[in-house]
């Protein structure tokens, strides 16, 4: 073999020729074929792969929508209606894109919950978690700007309200807002830049997802027990075990997605966005898309303009510090009887905020939002730091294989103990 | 029973082979079904197809004059040919033509020549509609991009273009009006 070529084990001569020069097939085999994965994943571990699929669906449908969309205040609304009525299968591509955004947030919220429940943010996966938070922030920006593009009433007034958040900054606030708008109100320059950024950001997300996955493949996956695999007896190769498990999840995911698209495509949207934008008339009740409602409720829970904005952004930025706020050494909530209840209450607070965000800003919703907001932050700032010291965790299993197989792990199971233990001794 | 099962495996493959083939076949159909809406969305939309006919009033066009109209985003040349134009076109022997076609086959009424004004070489619009244009060596049209010469019947006579200027589908609605498309 010539010097400088990768030593490839690929049999097919053409693939081998490529692999010797650019070992992508070796890499795929290593990272998605034989990659050792904890043997005890449950279906919560589908949602990373589902999010990846969802991102690809959004990019594919988005690229085709952009071929028919006109980013101009005078034509945007009509061009979207033209997509719905005249473009072949335009209705399908747009409804998939629209509901794909909702599916993306459903999938990612479950993915985040998985991380919170099983302690996937803890050492050594802090950076992996933080990259995930970056992806979530990019998703929020992308979704917000995408919602502006059809230039309906909700697009226009949503854009007006959200960009006005930045006016809360002392001294430079108004200048920032003028800069965001490219004028003195949300108008054509705003629409043009939002379209450009809405097209750009998904590819930035792809880049950060690559880093997220790369970091995952350094530390390896967490698992429902939250204990590290101790040897080959605790892991199985990614393929075929988890490719097939992910496929099951994808089928269910696509069924839910298809049900939304074909039977209730506008259920999660707001009917006012089918009214063309009118800068002279604000709809009686403006709400963001459902996936922003919890944060919107936090914004409205605070009776101070700057305070509301700070808490709203803070409610997500605090996730960056979670790996250090949670002082417990035990990852999985299965073994944390108190923290587990605290987390489930936090999830309830999240849904309460989501509900209050959809209601008008009046009592009792404001008070309920304030209580839920207080608990939202208390979970991160008080409960988790304190529980690490106060809580007595349940005893952890000695290994994944022991927990999964019980006594069989010691002999007579699919992996005889001697065979399973041998490679460990070598390592 | 066991013997026949083993035999059939040896002859026709295993159950796993069957599952792999059917799963692959379904996957291919599925990918195709997903790809089709995307591909078809690139085809002309319904509002584009609705613009696919153009009506032209021929009454103001005097013999020797030509007009250019738009049809499906392309220029259509309409020339009211003189007797000399028609005679010149019909005098040519088919054997001299690169893309043999009689003048009769290219017109519905001899004085009205209706053609898509796009050179069949690489899509430029040939000169020859205005009186001051270079009409080429055959008094028809001349494409300035790569030097194709067309005669008074719009047939390619010299240059790189492979075929005659295309005739669009059109009908005479009345003696002085046509509908293209």
């Amino acid at each position: 073999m010539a010097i400088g070529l990768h030593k490839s084990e690929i049999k097919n001569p053409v693939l081998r020729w490529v692999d010797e020069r650019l070992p992508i097939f070796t890499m795929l085999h290593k990272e998605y074929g034989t990659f050792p994965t904890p043997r005890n994943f449950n279906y919560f571990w589908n949602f990373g792969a589902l999010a990846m699929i969802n991102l690809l669906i959004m990019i594919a449908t988005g690229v085709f929508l952009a071929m028919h969309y006109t980013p101009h205040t005078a034509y945007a609304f009509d061009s979207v209606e033209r997509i719905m009525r005249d473009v072949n299968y335009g209705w399908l591509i747009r409804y998939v894109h629209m509901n794909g955004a909702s599916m993306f947030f459903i999938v990612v919220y479950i993915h985040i919950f998985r991380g919170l429940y099983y302690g996937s943010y803890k050492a050594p996966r802090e950076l992996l978690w933080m990259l995930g938070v970056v992806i979530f922030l990019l998703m929020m920006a992308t979704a917000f700007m995408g919602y502006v593009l059809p230039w309906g009433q909700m697009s226009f007034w949503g854009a007006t309200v959200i960009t006005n958040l930045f006016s809360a900054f002392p001294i430079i606030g108004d200048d920032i807002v003028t800069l965001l708008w490219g004028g003195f109100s949300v108008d054509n320059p705003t629409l043009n830049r939002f379209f450009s950024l809405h097209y750009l950001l998904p590819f930035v997300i792809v880049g950060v997802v690559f880093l997220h996955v790369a970091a995952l493949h350094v530390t390896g996956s967490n698992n429902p027990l939250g204990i590290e695999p101790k040897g080959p007896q605790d892991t199985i190769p990614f393929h075929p075990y988890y490719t097939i498990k992910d496929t099951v999840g994808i089928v269910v995911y696509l069924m839910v997605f298809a049900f939304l698209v074909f039977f209730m495509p506008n259920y999660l949207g707001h009917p006012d966005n089918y009214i063309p934008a009118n800068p002279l008339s604000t709809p009686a009740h403006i709400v963001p898309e459902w996936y922003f409602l919890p944060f919107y409720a936090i914004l409205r829970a605070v009776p101070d303009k700057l305070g509301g904005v700070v808490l709203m952004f803070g409610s997500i930025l605090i996730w960056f510090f979670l790996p250090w706020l949670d002082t417990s050494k035990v990852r999985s909530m299965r073994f944390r009887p108190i923290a587990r209840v605290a987390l489930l209450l936090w999830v309830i607070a999240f849904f309460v905020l989501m509900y209050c965000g959809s209601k008008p800003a009046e009592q009792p919703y404001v008070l309920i939002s304030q209580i839920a907001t207080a608990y939202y932050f208390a979970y991160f700032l008080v409960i988790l730091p304190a529980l690490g010291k106060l809580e007595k965790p349940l005893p952890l299993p000695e290994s994944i294989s022991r927990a999964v197989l019980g006594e069989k792990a010691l002999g007579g199971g699919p992996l005889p103990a001697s065979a399973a233990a041998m490679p460990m001794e070598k390592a | 029973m066991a013997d026949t099962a083993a035999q059939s495996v040896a002859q026709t493959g295993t159950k796993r082979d069957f599952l792999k083939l059917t799963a692959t076949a379904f996957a291919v159909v599925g990918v195709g079904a997903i790809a089709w809406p995307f591909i078809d969305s690139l085809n002309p939309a319904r509002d584009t197809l609705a613009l696919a006919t153009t009506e032209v009033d021929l009454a103001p066009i005097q013999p020797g004059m030509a007009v250019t109209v738009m049809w499906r985003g392309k220029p259509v040349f309409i020339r009211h040919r003189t007797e000399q134009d028609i005679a010149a076109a019909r005098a040519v022997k088919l054997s001299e033509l690169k893309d043999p076609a009689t003048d009769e086959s290219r017109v519905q009424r001899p004085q009205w020549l209706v053609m898509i004004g796009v050179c069949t070489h690489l899509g430029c619009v040939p000169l020859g509609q205005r009186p001051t244009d270079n009409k080429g060596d055959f008094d028809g049209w001349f494409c300035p991009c790569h030097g194709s010469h067309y005669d008074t019947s719009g047939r390619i006579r010299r240059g790189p273009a492979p075929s005659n200027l295309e005739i669009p589908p059109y009908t005479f609605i009345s003696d002085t009006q046509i509908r293209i498309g």
Side-chain angles (χ1 to χ4, degrees):
Chain A
M1 184 182 289
I3 293 167
L5 287 182
H6 171 72
K7 195 173 177 309
S8 177
E9 285 167 14
I10 304 286
K11 296 278 183 291
N12 180 303
V14 177
L15 298 187
R16 184 188 175 88
W17 186 91
V18 174
D19 201 54
E20 285 170 345
R21 286 153 181 82
L22 182 68
I24 44 174
F25 299 108
T26 297
M27 192 203 82
L28 281 176
H29 184 65
K30 181 165 164 279
E31 304 297 342
Y32 289 100
T34 56
F35 188 65
T37 320
R39 65 191 300 164
N40 58 333
F41 279 179
N42 55 30
Y43 278 107
F44 275 117
W45 265 262
N46 278 170
F47 286 85
L50 294 181
M52 177 80 93
I53 299 274
N54 206 317
L55 177 60
L56 296 179
I57 291 174
M58 294 307 278
I59 289 177
T61 51
V63 166
F64 278 82
L65 286 175
M67 295 178 191
H68 301 287
Y69 171 76
T70 311
H72 187 285
T73 52
Y75 304 105
F77 189 89
D78 290 345
S79 74
V80 172
E81 286 308 305
R82 179 177 170 272
I83 290 170
M84 295 301 291
R85 293 152 197 253
D86 287 337
V87 174
N88 302 318
Y89 293 102
W91 59 273
L92 178 63
I93 297 173
R94 174 162 175 267
Y95 276 157
V96 168
H97 197 74
M98 237 172 88
N99 289 284
S102 287
M103 290 299 293
F104 207 176
F105 277 92
I106 292 171
V107 163
V108 164
Y109 279 139
I110 297 173
H111 190 61
I112 292 170
F113 169 75
R114 194 280 316 273
L116 292 173
Y117 190 86
Y118 296 108
S120 302
Y121 48 85
K122 294 188 188 184
R125 299 186 183 83
E126 305 96 320
L127 191 61
L128 175 58
W129 167 262
M130 292 163 82
L131 287 166
V133 179
V134 171
I135 294 169
F136 182 67
L137 288 169
L138 287 169
M139 271 177 68
M140 293 179 90
T142 309
F144 159 66
M145 286 189 274
Y147 194 57
V148 176
L149 302 185
W151 210 243
Q153 275 290 67
M154 282 295 161
S155 300
F156 182 86
W157 293 102
T160 301
V161 169
I162 300 298
T163 48
N164 262 315
L165 292 178
F166 293 90
S167 70
F169 280 104
I171 305 166
I172 52 166
D174 286 336
D175 293 328
I176 292 177
V177 173
T178 306
L179 183 78
L180 289 175
W181 286 341
F184 303 100
S185 65
V186 173
D187 207 338
N188 201 44
T190 326
L191 179 61
N192 276 299
R193 65 191 57 183
F194 277 18
F195 180 54
S196 171
L197 293 172
H198 182 72
Y199 207 111
L200 167 72
L201 288 185
F203 297 99
V204 178
I205 294 177
V206 168
V208 185
V209 165
F210 180 82
L211 297 177
H212 189 67
V213 173
L216 172 73
H217 281 240
V218 172
T219 61
S221 296
N222 186 29
N223 64 80
L225 292 171
I227 55 176
E228 291 295 325
K230 293 192 170 70
Q233 74 279 16
D234 288 345
T235 63
I236 44 179
F238 188 83
H239 180 77
Y241 296 101
Y242 288 124
T243 44
I244 206 69
K245 188 161 180 140
D246 282 345
T247 306
V248 173
I250 287 166
V251 169
V252 175
Y253 155 85
L254 288 176
M255 282 165 68
V256 175
F257 199 160
F259 185 83
L260 270 179
V261 167
F262 292 111
F263 293 102
M264 43 204 309
N266 290 302
Y267 176 71
L268 294 168
H270 198 294
D272 276 17
N273 218 29
Y274 285 105
I275 303 169
N278 178 1
L280 301 179
S281 158
T282 309
H285 180 47
I286 57 167
V287 284
E289 290 278 82
W290 68 267
Y291 37 79
F292 291 141
L293 288 175
F295 309 104
Y296 190 58
I298 292 174
L299 170 76
R300 297 194 306 184
V302 185
D304 174 71
K305 186 175 180 180
L306 180 60
V309 173
V310 166
L311 276 204
M312 188 186 75
F313 284 114
S315 66
I316 296 166
L317 296 179
I318 199 168
W319 296 357
F320 281 113
F321 302 96
L322 177 59
W324 297 276
L325 290 171
D326 186 350
T327 50
S328 172
K329 292 272 181 284
V330 178
R331 290 201 192 108
S332 175
M333 293 285 180
R334 282 189 186 180
F335 306 105
R336 301 187 63 192
I338 305 173
R340 171 176 158 142
V341 175
L343 174 61
L344 294 179
L345 286 174
W346 182 87
V347 171
I348 290 168
F350 188 82
F351 281 111
V352 166
L353 286 169
M354 189 181 281
Y355 174 75
C356 291
S358 71
K359 293 290 163 190
E362 56 194 39
Q363 297 301 359
Y365 304 114
V366 174
L367 181 65
I368 298 172
S369 301
Q370 285 167 344
I371 296 167
T373 303
Y375 184 78
Y376 182 104
F377 283 98
Y379 175 77
F380 292 114
L381 295 174
V382 180
I383 297 173
L384 281 184
L387 279 185
K389 310 272 186 288
L390 303 175
E391 185 184 40
K392 186 176 185 304
L394 304 177
L396 293 175
E398 58 189 80
S399 75
I400 293 173
S401 59
R402 192 69 205 278
V404 171
L405 300 172
E407 291 304 313
K408 279 190 287 182
L410 298 175
L415 285 173
S418 55
M422 284 292 277
M424 225 173 94
E425 285 164 15
K426 282 180 206 156
Chain B
M1 190 63 199
D3 283 353
T4 46
Q7 227 171 2
S8 76
V9 163
Q11 282 166 6
T12 60
T14 62
K15 183 179 171 187
R16 177 155 296 249
D17 293 331
F18 173 75
L19 290 175
K20 274 184 180 168
L21 281 171
T22 46
T24 309
F26 267 89
V28 168
V29 171
V31 168
I34 289 168
W36 176 245
F38 286 94
I39 296 166
D40 194 32
S41 77
L42 302 177
N43 274 322
R46 271 169 270 177
D47 62 330
T48 310
L49 293 175
L51 298 174
T53 62
T54 301
E55 288 181 13
V56 187
D57 182 11
L58 302 177
I61 309 171
Q62 298 303 312
M65 277 176 66
V67 297
T68 305
V69 297
M70 282 285 276
W71 176 63
R72 292 209 273 190
K74 287 180 189 169
V76 170
F77 293 168
I78 301 172
R79 189 185 276 195
H80 193 163
R81 298 194 295 182
T82 61
E83 291 302 325
Q84 298 92 300
D85 287 338
I86 300 169
R90 300 197 166 179
V92 183
K93 282 191 226 143
L94 284 187
S95 56
E96 293 173 23
L97 296 172
K98 189 173 180 181
D99 178 14
T102 61
D103 182 60
E104 288 85 346
S105 72
R106 293 176 55 78
V107 290
Q108 294 181 14
R109 300 186 185 185
Q111 67 272 37
W112 295 107
L113 179 63
V114 181
M115 304 181 300
I116 294 175
V118 174
C119 181
T120 57
H121 180 219
L122 291 171
C124 299
V125 176
L127 301 172
Q129 289 291 88
R130 279 177 296 192
T132 51
D133 278 353
N134 179 356
K135 288 185 163 59
D137 295 351
F138 300 89
D139 203 29
W141 289 265
F142 170 69
C143 184
C145 288
H146 306 96
S148 291
H149 298 256
Y150 296 92
D151 67 12
T152 54
S153 189
R155 294 172 296 196
I156 181 65
R157 299 298 289 276
R158 187 187 304 149
S163 56
N164 304 331
L165 290 175
E166 201 186 325
I167 307 292
Y170 66 95
T171 46
F172 278 88
I173 310 170
S174 69
D175 280 349
T176 59
Q177 227 182 5
I178 59 168
R179 179 190 293 132
I180 306 168

